Amino acid sequence: MKFLAVTLIVHAPDPVTGVRKTTGERFREVIDNALLAEDLGFDGFGVGERHERPFISSSPPVVLSHIAALTSRIRLFTAVTTLSLLDPVRAYEDYATLDHLSGGRLDLIIGKGNGTAQRELFHVTPEDQWDRNAESYELFRRLWREDKVTASPRFRPGLAGAEVWPRPFQQPVRVWHGSATSRDSVDLAARYGDPLFSANVTHEIQPYAELIRHYRERWEHYGHDPARAVVGAGTAGFHTARTSQEAVAAYRPVFEGYLAFQKQLGVEPVFPTLEDFVERSSALIGSPRQIIEKVHRYHEQFGHTVLHLHADAGGLTDAQHRDSLALFQSDVAPVLRRDIPDPPFAWAPVLAGPAPAGATVPVPAAVPSTG
C-alpha cells in the first residue's frame, strides 16, 4: 500500500485557537509539511485546487513546482485538478513544465470540482460542468500524447495541427479521476483505463463503496483486465497516539471546532459527535492497532491500494501533528504495506520506450545558482 499526505490549503482561523496565519505563513506551512512527508517516508504529497474562500490553493502547479525544487523522492499529486474550469491547453503547458521540473514525479488527480463561487468565477454552470470536465480531459490527454493536435471542442476554440510546448517528460502522465458523487466521473476513469481516487470524506462508507463497485463493473465492461483496476481512498480526519484515549482527547477540540464552523454555515453535521465520527466516518483516529484494523475494514469494501492522510495539523499542535505522522510511519504503515498490495504499476516516472540516461530515478529540480 502507498500513502499520500494531502492539503487543500485551507486558509481559515485555527479551529481551536482562533488564530489565523498570514498567507505567507500558511504557504510556508504547506512547504514544511511536504518536506516532513518526504523525510518520514510518505510516497506522495498532494495539493488541491480551489478557487473560492477559504482556500488559497488556486495555483497547484506553482506550489508543487516549489516543492519539487526542495525534494528529490516523493511523488507530487494534484488533488484535484479542476479541468472543468480550466483551458486544457494552458493546463497542459503548466503540468508538462512541472513534469520536467520534478524529474517525472508528477501524478494528476482530476475532477469536475464543486462550489458555486468558483463556478461563477469561471462562468461554468452545473449543467455544463460535467461536459466541460470530460471534454477538457479528452483534449488534455491528446495534447500529452500527440505532437500535433487537430480538434473541434465545444468549450474552447478549435485546434488545427497545434503544437504545444514543452513536450512532457513522462509519456504518458498518470491521471487519476477524483470521485465523490458522480457516476460520470467513475465511468470516464473506467473508459480510459485510469485509476480512481475516492474522496471518501463526507459521508459513511456506503455511497463511496457503491461508486467503486460501479467503477470495477465499468472497467470490465470496457474490456480492461480486472487485476489492473486501481483505487485510492481519502480519510475524513487523522490522528494517532500510543493509546486510543490519548488520540481521542487530542482530537476532541479539533472536532468541536469543526462542528462550530458547520453551525456557522448552517450545515447539519453528518456525524454529530466525535464518537460517531470516529466510528462511522473514514477518519483514522485512535491507536496504531485501531487504525490498522479500520483500514483493513475499509479495504474489504474498496480494495484500495493507496490511502491519503491530512497533511495539515488542522487544529492539532505542530508537535502533535508531527508525532502522529511519525507514529503512523513507524507503527502503522509497515503493517499495511505488508498486508495490502501496492498498485500494479511502478511508483516512478512513466517513460515510453528506453529511459533516458539518469531518468529512472527522480532528480531534484533545484535551479543552479549563478552567483
Side-chain angles (χ1 to χ4, degrees):
M1 186 171 233
K2 298 293 187 183
F3 303 101
L4 315 182
V6 172
T7 178
L8 299 181
I9 320 187
V10 175
H11 189 218
D14 184 287
V16 176
T17 67
V19 174
R20 177 175 173 171
K21 292 180 169 66
T22 67
T23 300
E25 288 170 338
R26 185 68 183 97
F27 278 127
R28 182 68 252 172
E29 185 176 52
V30 170
I31 302 305
D32 289 345
N33 285 334
L35 298 178
L36 176 64
E38 175 160 270
D39 288 344
L40 290 176
F42 278 84
D43 303 291
F45 189 86
V47 173
E49 180 181 334
R50 297 289 181 90
H51 300 269
E52 58 188 340
R53 186 182 299 177
F55 306 96
I56 52 172
S57 50
S58 58
S59 188
V62 176
V63 178
L64 289 171
S65 290
H66 190 68
I67 293 170
L70 300 174
T71 58
S72 62
R73 177 196 58 79
I74 200 165
R75 287 195 69 79
L76 307 173
F77 283 72
T78 64
V80 300
T81 295
T82 51
L83 279 181
S84 64
L85 309 179
L86 305 178
D87 180 335
V89 175
R90 192 70 184 94
Y92 165 80
E93 292 172 334
D94 284 343
Y95 285 113
T97 300
L98 173 55
D99 193 35
H100 280 279
L101 293 176
S102 67
R105 289 186 282 140
L106 175 65
D107 273 49
L108 295 175
I109 306 176
I110 67 163
K112 67 178 178 61
N114 54 31
T116 301
Q118 63 180 13
R119 282 200 306 265
E120 292 176 351
L121 185 65
F122 288 90
H123 295 274
V124 172
T125 69
E127 291 75 26
D128 69 19
Q129 192 171 16
W130 161 250
D131 290 338
R132 285 176 180 272
N133 181 71
E135 179 184 282
S136 290
Y137 174 56
E138 288 159 1
L139 185 53
F140 181 95
R141 180 184 171 90
R142 289 190 59 196
L143 290 166
W144 202 281
R145 287 165 171 77
E146 301 173 25
D147 292 336
K148 295 184 178 182
V149 173
T150 296
S152 299
R154 174 184 167 196
F155 296 106
R156 63 146 286 131
L159 302 174
E163 297 180 83
V164 187
W165 298 94
R167 299 311 303 151
F169 183 92
Q170 295 184 97
Q171 191 55 268
V173 69
R174 184 176 299 116
V175 177
W176 305 65
H177 294 247
S179 165
T181 60
S182 172
R183 285 197 166 206
D184 289 330
S185 296
V186 167
D187 189 82
L188 187 68
R191 187 189 323 162
Y192 283 108
D194 294 330
L196 186 75
F197 215 106
S198 173
N200 187 38
V201 295
T202 307
H203 300 285
E204 295 182 78
I205 186 174
Q206 288 81 5
Y208 303 110
E210 181 181 340
L211 282 173
I212 291 170
R213 286 192 292 270
H214 182 67
Y215 166 70
R216 295 186 187 279
E217 291 167 2
R218 299 304 292 170
W219 178 277
E220 292 193 53
H221 169 81
Y222 287 115
H224 304 302
D225 179 357
R228 303 291 296 180
V230 175
V231 173
T235 53
F238 167 71
H239 183 59
T240 188
R242 289 295 175 187
T243 68
S244 60
Q245 292 84 356
E246 290 177 81
V248 170
Y251 201 83
R252 189 172 298 280
V254 178
F255 183 77
E256 290 173 353
Y258 173 67
L259 285 184
F261 180 67
Q262 286 190 312
K263 184 177 180 179
Q264 289 178 6
L265 297 177
V267 175
E268 187 70 24
V270 176
F271 308 103
T273 68
L274 176 57
E275 288 70 24
D276 189 39
F277 183 65
V278 171
E279 176 63 28
R280 293 195 301 125
S281 82
S282 62
L284 300 176
I285 300 166
S287 68
R289 177 170 293 280
Q290 287 173 314
I291 287 177
I292 290 167
E293 291 173 352
K294 190 168 186 179
V295 172
H296 273 290
R297 291 200 304 272
Y298 271 62
H299 183 262
E300 290 174 2
Q301 296 289 320
F302 288 178
H304 58 306
T305 53
V306 178
L307 177 72
H308 95 49
L309 303 179
H310 290 202
D312 300 314
L316 297 166
T317 68
D318 289 341
Q320 287 173 326
H321 180 55
R322 287 193 303 270
D323 290 348
S324 178
L325 291 176
L327 183 59
F328 179 88
Q329 283 295 342
S330 65
D331 287 30
V332 177
V335 177
L336 295 177
R337 290 186 196 278
R338 182 196 68 207
D339 294 349
I340 298 174
D342 285 345
F345 46 67
W347 203 257
V350 182
L351 302 172
T360 54
V361 178
V363 295
V367 178
S369 172
T370 58

